[in-house]
Amino acid sequence: DAGITQSPRHKVTETGTPVTLRCHQTENHRYMYWYRQDPGHGLRLIHYSYGVKDTDKGEVSDGYSVSRSKTEDFLLTLESATSSQTSVYFCAITAGDTQYFGPGTRLTVL
Amino acid sequence: AQSVTQLDSHVSVSEGTPVLLRCNYSSSYSPSLFWYVQHPNKGLQLLLKYTSAATLVKGINGFEAEFKKSETSFHLTKPSAHMSDAAEYFCVVSEYASGTYKYIFGTGTRLKVLA
């Protein structure tokens, strides 16, 4: 357990609405990541952060934005949710060379 | 470019029999390799990792994996399956480049354990 929490844990929303997911860590790790998990695809990187206000895109970043205004929080925003963004979202941190994951957020976009 | 292939999407074994989950990787550099386990509706838990020390790596819950550079493989094994091992398993390769770690995930192997 690397002290990672995610909120909310479950969310149902409608197409076109904005959604923000929060990842919170308590151990001052520099690197934080957002992934989505879909059947048959494993985990795919959306965005990552290498410090406060320092972020970069992953392989599936279209339709998502992120912000990191303080070390402990990494926010993922869907500006206008679509049904294709229905997924389970995982936050992760890196300690040394190893990733540790949060419990996930299940998002359903109707 | 890095890639990871998990050769079986589903594996079924009987309780008490050996488990073999296969993973092949492609990497331009000396990789770090990981296995994670995910139980239903849970997050990913680290089972074990290889980072260029011993080629046979022991992990939690009796799992181990052997790094074979000549075969570019990192297969996960356990001598005797337990019902609680039923889960999805992910092989992951990472590289450190341009000041950050990048992680590539396999598509997962779902392990079913039969009583």
Side-chain angles (χ1 to χ4, degrees):
Chain A
D1 183 358
I4 307 168
T5 57
Q6 293 184 231
S7 59
R9 294 292 315 279
H10 301 270
K11 186 169 182 65
V12 179
T13 191
E14 294 189 348
T15 298
T17 60
V19 176
T20 295
L21 309 182
R22 180 182 184 235
C23 177
H24 180 77
Q25 54 127 338
T26 59
E27 298 182 1
N28 208 34
H29 296 290
R30 179 182 174 193
Y31 292 92
M32 299 184 75
Y33 303 75
W34 276 109
Y35 292 90
R36 60 177 290 173
Q37 182 179 29
D38 305 289
H41 290 278
L43 270 71
R44 292 180 292 174
L45 181 65
I46 304 172
H47 281 279
Y48 66 98
S49 170
Y50 48 96
V52 172
K53 293 188 168 60
D54 292 323
T55 65
D56 206 349
K57 295 179 180 180
E59 63 178 306
V60 291
S61 60
D62 287 347
Y64 301 95
S65 62
V66 290
S67 65
R68 193 167 177 201
S69 59
K70 44 186 178 176
T71 299
E72 57 266 36
D73 289 325
F74 191 31
L75 304 180
L76 176 70
T77 298
L78 291 65
E79 302 289 349
S80 178
T82 68
S83 58
S84 65
Q85 294 176 311
T86 292
S87 187
V88 181
Y89 292 85
F90 286 98
C91 175
I93 61 91
T94 297
D97 65 350
T98 303
Q99 280 200 316
Y100 297 91
F101 291 85
T105 294
R106 184 173 296 275
L107 176 67
T108 302
V109 183
L110 302 176
Chain B
Q2 297 170 280
S3 67
V4 176
T5 303
Q6 292 184 242
L7 298 164
D8 306 292
S9 59
H10 293 83
V11 170
S12 291
V13 300
S14 297
E15 190 175 22
T17 64
V19 176
L20 170 63
L21 306 183
R22 298 182 294 165
C23 174
N24 283 51
Y25 71 92
S26 171
S27 175
S28 304
Y29 305 98
S30 296
S32 293
L33 293 158
F34 306 82
W35 277 99
Y36 288 86
V37 60
Q38 185 181 32
H39 290 278
N41 299 311
K42 300 290 187 184
L44 279 77
Q45 180 185 15
L46 179 68
L47 268 181
L48 51 80
K49 69 175 184 180
Y50 166 79
T51 51
S52 75
T55 56
L56 183 62
V57 182
K58 294 189 184 298
I60 62 172
N61 300 334
F63 284 94
E64 61 182 37
E66 186 171 7
F67 173 71
K68 292 187 176 180
K69 187 174 182 179
S70 61
E71 298 176 9
T72 60
S73 68
F74 190 56
H75 301 335
L76 182 70
T77 60
K78 182 174 181 178
S80 177
H82 190 274
M83 296 298 289
S84 61
D85 295 327
E88 190 156 25
Y89 293 79
F90 292 95
C91 183
V92 181
V93 62
S94 80
E95 286 182 348
Y96 186 76
S98 303
T100 189
Y101 284 101
K102 297 286 177 63
Y103 299 85
I104 304 298
F105 286 74
T107 53
T109 299
R110 188 168 296 277
L111 176 66
K112 186 174 182 179
V113 182
L114 307 171

